[in-house]
Amino acid sequence: GDLDKVVNLLLSLSGRLARVETALGSLGPHAPAEDKLALREKQQLLVAQLEDAKELKEHVGRREEAVGAMVARYLPAEHLQDYQHFVKMKSALIAEQRELEEKIKLGQEQLRCLRESL
């Protein structure tokens, strides 16, 4: 459960950071200084939060290793391999699901913008 939460947190923060950086990049030279400052402050906050989330992931990784070592004492080799595969795939699938959700959201935004422009 913690792994799910941390992976979702990392993906959420990195997605938000990417959107802020895109917004910063799209600001023209005549954009108000307040807008640029607000976006830069948000960017700094998101970078700090992302670093904290990475530390959480490392902590969860250490706990995962400890649990894996304990589980290894009780499971036969084939079940242990299944367990390890499950844990590895769970993170990958969460990341893929989040990426697909972001693509769907982006597609919906683009579709909305196209409809508005017509």
Side-chain angles (χ1 to χ4, degrees):
D2 288 345
L3 181 62
D4 291 351
K5 292 174 188 171
V6 171
V7 169
N8 279 324
L9 177 62
L10 282 167
L11 293 171
S12 175
L13 289 171
S14 61
R16 290 173 56 197
L17 181 59
R19 285 191 293 278
V20 166
E21 289 173 347
T22 299
L24 267 172
S26 67
L27 286 178
H30 304 294
E34 300 87 35
D35 291 350
K36 290 179 182 179
L37 181 62
L39 284 172
R40 285 192 183 111
E41 288 175 355
K42 191 170 190 176
Q43 180 186 33
Q44 290 173 349
L45 178 64
L46 287 168
V47 167
Q49 290 175 336
L50 189 59
E51 289 302 315
D52 290 343
K54 287 178 182 179
E55 288 178 23
L56 278 173
K57 186 171 186 318
E58 289 175 11
H59 176 70
V60 169
R62 288 190 298 272
R63 277 191 15 219
E64 180 184 325
E65 288 176 17
V67 169
M70 189 169 41
V71 168
R73 287 186 246 153
Y74 298 102
L75 290 179
E78 66 185 42
H79 293 281
L80 180 61
Q81 287 177 346
D82 289 343
Y83 167 79
Q84 291 168 337
H85 179 72
F86 169 77
V87 171
K88 186 188 305 182
M89 290 306 298
K90 187 170 186 177
S91 294
L93 290 173
I94 291 170
E96 187 176 339
Q97 177 185 9
R98 187 62 177 245
E99 184 180 329
L100 290 172
E101 288 170 353
E102 289 292 323
K103 286 181 180 180
I104 289 170
K105 189 185 296 184
L106 177 63
Q108 289 172 338
E109 287 177 25
Q110 289 174 340
L111 185 60
R112 182 184 52 79
C113 288
L114 284 172
R115 285 184 179 147
E116 289 175 1
S117 68
L118 293 176

